[in-house]
Amino acid sequence: MTEQHETPGGVSGGALRGSDGSRPGDGRKDIPQATVARLATYLRVLAGIADEGVAIVSSEELAVAAGVNSAKLRKDLSFLGPNGVRGVGYDVVKLRARIEDVLGLAQGHRVVLVGAGNLGRALVGYGGFRRRGFSVVGIFDSDPRLVGAEVAGLAVADVAQLTDQVGALAPTIAVIAVPDAAAQQVCDRLVAAGLRSILSFAPCELHAPAAVQIRRVDLAVELQMLSFETARDAPPPEVAHAVSGRIARRAPGARGGGAANRVSGRSRSNSSHSATEPSSKGSVVTP
């Protein structure tokens, strides 16, 4: 089996058990992966709203802040069971706790990271993870120059000690931030140590047993997607040249300016881009 082991069509019902082991509702449909990604966005928005002291938020306000339409937001939240009061809105604290419970964040997560290079140090130093329930408890590397160094208050341990230390650290998630050539070997070590949830920043495909959940973040692919969007929205070279030529031939101060205005109007119209819906091409984790 390869990475991205997921239940077809969404997250399995087992993932919807509450912290006490109970299901939030009998016969509940599986939550689609796209909805899970948006739930994470709603959770981030709700955290910001709570910090501002807001107690109640309407579906329209929450939808605008999350970058979706209110109908989609209400459909997403319907997977969580009864939420909110018609004409009143959602209780921010309760909705936040409900989403955290469904996403499995109620008890928090202990994270180990393998790879103390530039990317690894940046990830460990990002304070947003702890605020969202993810605590980095161990850092490992194979480079003798890095082993023993301190990163964000943690001493970098030799990756050879990974299996021995997993028992004491009790991590629930592992992050791989090593070069391609070492990624599969690191993945194998993590699986052998008992890790079943892995986030990899190595762009190569990783192989693991079906019971292991692997998510991959390829930053180069994200940049390539942005490059595609830029190229798609840009006018063809011949059109840009023709427009430039017509504008250049107009004498400064010439009467009317209608053609130039019409060209400018068309340019603005062609370059407009709807932002009412978030892109589905984004990554799972957005530090």
Side-chain angles (χ1 to χ4, degrees):
M1 295 290 291
T2 59
E3 66 212 80
Q4 310 277 6
H5 307 307
E6 298 162 355
T7 302
V11 176
S12 67
L16 302 179
R17 294 184 183 276
S19 56
D20 61 353
S22 63
R23 290 181 183 274
D26 293 333
R28 168 79 67 78
K29 292 182 179 179
D30 291 344
I31 302 182
Q33 285 293 322
T35 295
V36 173
R38 289 192 292 270
L39 287 176
T41 299
Y42 304 151
L43 184 59
R44 172 181 56 78
V45 172
L46 288 167
I49 292 174
D51 289 343
E52 295 174 359
V54 177
I56 301 294
V57 62
S58 69
S59 59
E60 289 76 14
E61 292 169 334
L62 184 54
V64 169
V68 302
N69 62 59
S70 57
K72 178 167 289 186
L73 178 136
R74 286 191 292 268
K75 181 177 180 180
D76 289 340
L77 296 185
S78 70
F79 286 101
L80 311 183
N83 287 287
V85 178
R86 184 179 296 275
V88 176
Y90 300 98
D91 183 299
V92 172
V93 173
K94 290 182 179 179
L95 181 58
R96 182 181 178 184
R98 184 75 189 95
I99 295 176
E100 286 179 343
D101 193 41
V102 168
L103 294 182
L105 301 175
Q107 304 302 319
H109 285 279
R110 296 170 65 83
V111 180
V112 292
L113 180 140
V114 182
N118 292 333
L119 176 59
R121 291 196 298 272
L123 291 171
V124 174
Y126 174 58
F129 291 140
R130 181 174 291 276
R131 291 195 300 271
R132 300 185 192 183
F134 299 91
S135 300
V136 179
V137 296
I139 309 173
F140 298 85
D141 205 291
S142 60
D143 190 336
R145 296 170 297 179
L146 297 176
V147 173
E150 185 174 297
V151 179
L154 295 172
V156 178
D158 193 319
V159 72
Q161 303 174 4
L162 179 62
T163 302
D164 295 334
Q165 293 199 22
V166 160
L169 297 174
T172 53
I173 294 176
V175 177
I176 296 176
V178 301
D180 266 14
Q184 185 61 57
Q185 182 180 8
V186 168
C187 180
D188 294 341
R189 281 181 178 269
L190 291 169
V191 172
L195 271 300
R196 293 295 179 264
S197 298
I198 299 172
L199 175 66
S200 175
F201 282 86
C204 62
E205 181 180 20
L206 298 177
H207 299 268
V212 177
Q213 299 287 333
I214 300 180
R215 305 288 301 185
R216 184 176 62 182
V217 178
D218 190 335
L219 299 178
V221 168
E222 300 304 323
L223 291 173
Q224 289 165 347
M225 296 305 298
L226 285 174
S227 174
F228 168 78
E229 298 287 351
T230 301
R232 184 188 64 179
D233 293 342
E238 60 273 14
V239 173
H241 178 74
V243 171
S244 176
R246 287 198 297 273
I247 294 176
R249 284 194 294 271
R250 293 192 60 82
R255 286 191 308 163
N261 289 336
R262 288 194 296 273
V263 168
S264 175
R266 287 197 298 271
S267 298
R268 286 194 297 270
S269 175
N270 291 339
S271 63
S272 64
H273 181 74
S274 174
T276 57
E277 294 289 335
S279 169
S280 61
K281 300 185 286 298
S283 75
V284 174
V285 175
T286 53

